[in-house]
Amino acid sequence: MAGLELISDEGYRIDGRLPSELRRTRCRLGVFTQADGSAYLEQGNTKVLVAVYGPHEPSPNMRNQVLPDKALINCEYSQATFSTAERKNRPRGDRKGQELSMHIKQTFEASILTELYPRSQIDINIQVLQSDGSNYCVCVNAATLGLIDAGIALKDYTCACSVNVYRGFGIKDLNRVEESTNCPAIVASMLPKLNQMIYVEQNGRLHADEMADALLVVTSGCQDIFTLLDAAVQDHVRNLTTNVGRE
């Protein structure tokens, strides 16, 4: 897809968005009653479901990893077999999925106040129901909502965004087609209120000036995600309060 025009002469992307626009986002907290916390998030056509369990006593197979001064974060990532249209891209428990699981785990080890839960375990179970680009970012954003729903103490919201650099433009929140090009890209997660980056991955070469601009765009994208997630949490809390009041 090297020859694909990502931005038209009129300034629109292949899905009709402006370079600075996020995909349409829909989310809901508390989708499972059996889990301590749960959330569902759509960003465009990428759809992710998260269930959070804990803090609880470490499971038998994890006891050798238990930490005396903080919680052990266990992240399980999976992708539904029907999540992609292309047969060759269907997940088979490959290395990419394992790497995503590790990166998400490391992200939340940096954002959860793990010292408040010594000798315990927190499980973050993530399933991608439909994949259309920016899987890491959507999983992180959905997991943040699940952790908030579970009442897990966080330093801040953890928000993630992806950016392509195309002809000097920073393109936010990549879909699958944009992600598949050879354009340099950055994927990052941050704590928006603290203005602190906790994960950055660069794909492709960027000039120092382009890198600085791309980081500004990805930071702006994370802040946009924060606004959406915070609004969803506020709505969820209001609904809970209203329901309690009716009872």
Side-chain angles (χ1 to χ4, degrees):
M1 296 187 182
L4 183 67
E5 295 289 333
L6 295 185
I7 301 179
S8 69
D9 293 337
E10 291 77 22
Y12 292 98
R13 297 156 69 173
I14 54 177
D15 57 6
R17 288 182 289 157
L18 294 171
S20 60
E21 280 187 276
L22 301 178
R23 292 175 289 179
R24 184 181 62 178
T25 301
R26 295 177 177 178
C27 51
R28 187 157 62 96
L29 286 76
V31 294
F32 293 135
T33 56
Q34 302 94 331
D36 294 309
S38 58
Y40 172 76
L41 176 64
E42 294 181 11
Q43 280 183 234
N45 290 322
T46 299
K47 303 176 182 181
V48 174
L49 194 60
V50 171
V52 175
Y53 299 89
H56 58 79
E57 289 188 12
S59 53
N61 62 325
M62 303 291 283
R63 283 175 185 165
N64 61 334
Q65 303 177 44
V66 71
L67 304 171
D69 57 344
K70 59 183 179 180
L72 174 67
I73 307 301
N74 177 45
C75 179
E76 298 289 340
Y77 170 92
S78 64
Q79 198 169 328
T81 54
F82 51 80
S83 61
T84 58
E86 295 83 358
R87 184 177 182 84
K88 64 180 180 180
N89 289 331
R90 289 179 184 173
R92 298 181 183 272
D94 58 357
R95 182 177 298 178
K96 185 175 181 181
Q98 294 173 2
E99 289 177 353
L100 265 174
S101 179
M102 180 185 66
H103 293 323
I104 295 168
K105 174 183 176 180
Q106 292 172 343
T107 297
F108 285 103
E109 284 176 340
S111 63
I112 295 173
L113 292 169
T114 54
E115 65 272 15
L116 298 181
Y117 313 106
R119 298 183 180 277
S120 64
Q121 178 179 329
I122 297 172
D123 298 316
I124 305 172
N125 298 321
I126 301 170
Q127 183 169 46
V128 177
L129 302 178
Q130 187 167 313
S131 176
D132 188 38
S134 301
N135 279 12
Y136 165 83
C137 299
V138 183
C139 288
V140 166
N141 298 333
T144 295
L145 294 178
L147 288 162
I148 290 173
D149 187 48
I152 304 295
L154 302 169
K155 297 176 184 176
D156 191 359
Y157 282 72
T158 310
C159 303
C161 189
S162 55
V163 168
N164 257 2
V165 179
Y166 176 75
R167 296 183 179 178
F169 287 96
I171 303 175
K172 291 181 186 176
D173 191 15
L174 308 178
N175 60 34
R176 182 182 59 82
V177 174
E178 293 168 336
E179 202 172 54
S180 301
T181 65
N182 294 324
C183 295
I186 289 179
V187 175
S189 56
M190 69 177 295
L191 308 178
K193 291 182 181 179
L194 300 177
N195 197 28
Q196 178 184 344
M197 286 281 183
I198 54 177
Y199 175 81
V200 179
E201 178 184 346
Q202 179 181 337
N203 298 310
R205 294 185 177 183
L206 283 170
H207 188 273
D209 293 339
E210 290 180 320
M211 183 67 175
D213 291 341
L215 286 174
L216 287 175
V217 175
V218 81
T219 298
S220 172
C222 290
Q223 294 287 353
D224 293 342
I225 292 291
F226 163 69
T227 300
L228 294 170
L229 299 188
D230 187 54
V233 171
Q234 298 298 332
D235 287 343
H236 182 66
V237 171
R238 277 194 293 270
N239 290 337
L240 289 177
T241 304
T242 301
N243 292 335
V244 170
R246 288 173 180 172
E247 293 175 0

